[in-house]
Amino acid sequence: MKNIFLNIHGFGSSGANSKAAALSENFHDHELISPDLPPDPLESLEIIEAIVLENINRPLILQGSSMGGLFSLIMHFRHSVPALLINPALTPAALVRNRLGEIYEFSNGDSILITEDHVNRFAKVEDELNKGIAEKGVHNGEVLALIGEQDELLDQKIMKSILRKAGADIISYNTDHRFEGYEQVCRHNLKVREFLLSLRG
């Protein structure tokens, strides 16, 4: 039986990111779904949830990086789907507020002006995250977070505090926000491989 990996990219990235490539290269016998997502977090969650519900009775595992890690953790709370989080951005409203008024360039060539509306939409998502942590917490062993200790974007002390409160397992690496070397982690780290290859559903 094959697992289905749903790769969820970060803000401004695309479904053809390096994390999707790492899964394709190391687990080519399994199915990969890696959609391009819009900048609006509420629209992104609708798209992700539709895919999750289509595959809810199959052995589905989420992989989310940065904002995609945030979305993956929310999907875990909503639907008890296992999730691998890579440098998850768990305080999104503050991160977006720091870019308020800036033109944000996307990897596909698009760009948007960051407005107060973006901040408010990410605040709604953050509220759901905090409610999930407070009321549900992580199912034992079903969320694994990979943390880059040299992350130039996130305060990893804060991220790790949130993850511990949620009950997630954490592995730290000496790498950056983009998580250089993830392909090698997929190839050689036994805990990550076991998490991704365990048959579920």
Side-chain angles (χ1 to χ4, degrees), residues 38-64:
D40 186 305
L42 301 179
E43 291 179 16
S44 292
L45 283 170
E46 287 182 5
I47 292 168
I48 295 163
E49 183 160 54
I51 297 171
V52 168
L53 292 175
E54 285 173 8
N55 295 280
I56 198 68
N57 294 316
R58 302 173 71 194
L60 179 67
I61 300 174
L62 308 182
Q63 172 181 276

Side-chain angles (χ1 to χ4, degrees), residues 95-103 113-119:
L95 289 171
V96 175
R97 181 172 290 283
N98 287 338
R99 308 296 294 265
L100 197 63
E102 293 184 21
I103 300 293
L113 174 67
I114 302 293
T115 67
E116 194 68 43
D117 185 54
H118 290 104
V119 177

Side-chain angles (χ1 to χ4, degrees), residues 8 23 53 64:
I8 306 172
L23 293 180
L53 292 175

Side-chain angles (χ1 to χ4, degrees), residues 5-26 32-37 62-69 71-72 84-87 106-108 177-180 182-183 186:
F5 301 130
L6 173 52
N7 178 64
I8 306 172
H9 66 75
F11 191 71
S13 186
S14 73
N17 66 355
S18 61
K19 314 306 185 302
L23 293 180
S24 293
E25 291 168 12
N26 288 283
L32 173 64
I33 303 171
S34 191
D36 289 334
L37 297 171
L62 308 182
Q63 172 181 276
S65 55
S66 196
M67 288 293 187
F71 298 153
S72 297
L84 178 69
L85 316 179
I86 305 168
N87 283 333
F106 287 78
S107 62
N108 65 0
H177 185 69
R178 190 172 176 274
F179 215 95
E180 268 318 310
Y182 181 60
E183 193 274 337
C186 283

